[in-house]
Amino acid sequence: MNKLVYSFSEGKAAMKDLLGGKGANLAEMANIGLPVPLGFTISTKACNMYYEKGQEIWSELLDEIFEKLSELEKKINKKFGDKDNPLLVSVRSGAKFSMPGMMDTILNLGLNEETVKAIHKNTGNERFAYDSYRRFIQMFSDVVMSIDKYKFDNIFESIKENRKANYDTDLDADALKEVVSRFKTLYKNEIKSDFPEDPKEQLILAVKAVFRSWNNERANIYRRINNIPDNLGTAVNVQSMVFGNMGDDSGTGVAFTRNPATGERKLYGEFLINAQGEDVVAGIRTPQSIEKLNEVMPEIYKQFVQVADLLENHYKDMQDIEFTIEKGKLYILQTRNGKRTAFSAIRVAVELVQEEKITKEEALMRIEPSQLDQLLHPTFDSNALKRAMPIAKGLPASPGAATGRIYFTAEAAVEASKNGEKVILVRQETSPEDIEGMLEARGILTARGGMTSHAAVVARGMGKCCVAGCESIKVYEEEKKFIVNGKIYNESDYISIDGSTGNVYEGIIDRHEPELSGHFGQLMEWADEIRRLRVRTNADSPKDAIQAVKFGAEGIGLCRTEHMFFDEARIPAVREMIIAEDINQRKAALEKILPMQREDFVGIYEAMGDRPVTIRLLDPPLHEFLPHNGEDIMNLSREMKINYDKLKSRVEELKEFNPMLGHRGCRLAITYPEIAEMQTRAIIEAAIQVKKDKGIDVKPEIMIPLVGEVKELTFIKNIVVKLADKLISESGIELKYMYGTMIEVPRATLVADEIAVDAEFFSFGTNDLTQMTYGFSRDDAGKFIKEYIDKKIFEIDPFQAIDRKGVGKLMKMAVELGRKERPNIKLGICGEHGGEPTSIEFCHEIGLDYVSCSPYRVPIARLAAAQAAVKEK
Ligand code: ADP
Ligand code: MG
Ligand code: MG
């Protein structure tokens, strides 16, 4: 039978696909004997069928839902809509992957004018009955009917004001009855019909709303950012209510079994007395920290600690737990693997290994490689910090250090960031609508909200620095300013925020480079034990090279020489070389470049020690080095003291219709062998010098770009190798170097065996290879690839992750052909893909020797390589 609805007793944690994460874990917890209110889950399959049926609920599903409902009624001996003993439920969404704040929950469903009275009578607590009712009306109207929440908030606030109530808990039953009646009037004005009284109708409308919420904009954005497929659907959990708002012996809270920001092994959470559901996260009143529960309700605290330990041991991971206390009895309402910063993730994983709960391999698999990015960025310089005066202090909600200009709306933040500005988003508090702005910002500062507020949770998920609940700043979003200590900070002023301390500073504070030590260092050691792929870096300067070595780079996979040519001090000589009229003039100009280029290599060799350094000969078309408009040409002609017309005609001459496919790469060295000669000389002479002076066993690898035909490679080889060997033998020093090529033209992959005759190594240039395989111009494709992704033609941009089917097939063929001809050929990748985890996995699978990526991605690549090795086992 096509079963669509499951009671908690029928589910388990492994059924997340069908029951969603929340439903599967509720079932699991119920079945291991934890105090979970009873309920059932309408499966994700039902959600997908709902969409297939054109967003309608069909009768078989209704029958199944009502059957489970009556089972539930029997088990807890209450009846939905009953005038004497009514059952109230929550309707909670829950997809396979938790999407905090993205989908909507309704509490206290089943209340109407009749049942509210029964609740009052049965509990003897009228205040509680109407508090529950007003909450239900507001949530239902917001989630199901899309009536703006603030309209309810306004009514609520004005009644609070009239009655001189500071907090919601100061309102008595009378006041809450007024709230209910005014909420209902608002509902009627907005919807033009009465608030639904029939609990079954309420339930079905709520279920539909949860299904619909799978496709709301927030959910779509969240899925896009987190790479969650759109076709999973959400489950709906219908669960009998327990009440944290029954008085001072009741309450609700959330807690992590370890600290989600630092990983420290200590309960971390907040609770509120006499409150319900989202009150803690929504910042209605300021919650108390979980340790305080030990003072207020020591017995409950003890039980909770036991449950927390049990859940952590059961799931073998840090848990994020929601609980409610109803009249001195503890209920568990949710558990999931807690979202955490990379910093915390690493500490938790490493300590779980040390506590012998998981293996090293499991620990390595726990960390999302791209998450490491968070740890690989600068922190504030401690000396600069000593001199800086904090202007305010909030909660250290998500660690990191950020400096930037302040913006007060998500839109303004996105706009400024697109203009290349570093942005700090400053908000009263954030909401799901702010996601894109948060994504673009370097850091987030909010005036309200606790450690589990929206801003804090989302920022930690994004690995973004965040200071939350900074109450001393007064934010005026519309006037684009905030005030603290009487001083005004306007849009685009600089501030700095420290997400590890909660401090906020005026102006810019120096930051310094991160290090791999402590738990992070330990994890990286384990990664190195397990991985087979070597990890190199792309670096064009000694500074980058030094940073990369600190991050564990085992060599340079790509040193681009053109970046050195663009240097301000050198470009005159480079231009002279380009506009030279004959070979002698060109050689004279190259003579000037030689010592500078040699110096570059000396610095890089010294930074890299005895690690291999792959240097690519000049690659870009020469016109890139010349000015293009009349005025710039005029200036240059004056500077260089050459005739304007002559210069202009040289610029014209070099102009190409399609420079990407034009005179570049090895084609330059074929036309101007003297350029290759100069570069070879610089590479080899620098190596000889460093070996002589410093005794370092340098290992240069000379790499020829854009080869498609072996004779191109042979032609250049005859120049490079002849000169290199001559220089080495004259020096009287022993120096080993390699000669090889990039594989980036599709033809090269087809004839890789021929090419391997003259190449000791291949390095896949997957940027160009992707460009030429798809026929997509790298410089222009950005625009339409976005369209491709929106229209689901591509799942992911092939310039970001290797297209395994097409480009990958070519790579595989080149690997096989290359190895057949030259079994010990060295194989690597130096395209952008070399730092992208799924592409790294592919490189592992096809048996490359190394990947090369930018310095800041080296630790990411080390971890991704280790994960590829673990997966293979
Ligand atoms: P989210 O996925 O946004 O956390 P939840 O479905 O977990 O949404 O519910 C929101 C809040 O309502 C949580 O604080 C939860 O503990 C509370 N809640 C949900 N169901 C019940 C219930 N049956 N009884 C009491 N509180 C509940
Ligand atoms: Mg929840
Ligand atoms: Mg290239």
Side-chain angles (χ1 to χ4, degrees), residues 19 35 67 121 169 308 341 522 538 654 798:
L19 303 179
E67 193 188 307
K121 204 177 82 219
T169 38
T341 61
Q522 177 61 263
N538 296 353
L654 285 172

Side-chain angles (χ1 to χ4, degrees), residues 22 92 278 322 334 336:
K22 195 180 286 171
R92 320 171 62 185
E278 302 280 62
E322 292 176 4
Q334 187 172 346
R336 61 180 166 217

Side-chain angles (χ1 to χ4, degrees), residues 441-578:
R442 302 285 165 125
I444 297 150
L445 171 63
T446 67
R448 270 209 248 146
M451 292 295 282
T452 48
S453 64
H454 179 266
V457 172
V458 174
R460 282 198 293 272
M462 290 176 176
K464 200 135 285 189
C465 165
C466 173
V467 172
C470 189
E471 308 213 348
S472 60
I473 69 167
K474 297 280 162 275
V475 179
Y476 300 88
E477 284 163 4
E478 287 184 357
E479 290 147 58
K480 301 181 190 168
K481 66 177 186 194
F482 73 76
I483 300 182
V484 63
N485 303 326
K487 184 160 177 191
I488 300 177
Y489 294 82
N490 291 304
E491 182 175 270
S492 88
D493 286 350
Y494 274 103
I495 64 167
S496 298
I497 60 175
D498 188 333
S500 314
T501 61
N503 282 333
V504 180
Y505 304 90
E506 181 178 299
I508 300 171
I509 299 179
D510 285 345
R511 299 177 307 164
H512 65 73
E513 301 302 332
E515 280 171 35
L516 303 191
S517 55
H519 295 98
F520 194 3
Q522 177 61 263
L523 188 85
M524 284 292 120
E525 254 175 52
W526 293 340
D528 293 347
E529 280 169 25
I530 284 163
R531 71 188 158 93
R532 197 206 65 224
L533 270 178
R534 307 275 96 195
V535 176
R536 294 196 190 183
T537 189
N538 296 353
D540 308 337
S541 71
K543 182 170 165 278
D544 284 356
I546 288 166
Q547 185 59 54
V549 169
K550 280 194 195 147
F551 283 157
E554 298 168 290
I556 287 183
L558 174 63
C559 174
R560 304 177 184 85
T561 49
E562 56 269 19
H563 287 194
M564 302 164 171
F565 279 44
F566 277 111
D567 187 285
E568 222 174 300
R570 305 169 182 189
I571 196 136
V574 173
R575 286 170 168 164
E576 220 179 291
M577 183 263 293
I578 294 169

Side-chain angles (χ1 to χ4, degrees), residues 616 619 664 705-706 742 744 765-769 772 778:
R616 177 177 72 185
D619 185 54
R664 57 177 283 233
L706 224 67
M742 287 186 75
E744 53 186 339
T766 47
N767 299 344
D768 266 311
L769 189 58
M772 288 185 245
R778 259 201 275 169

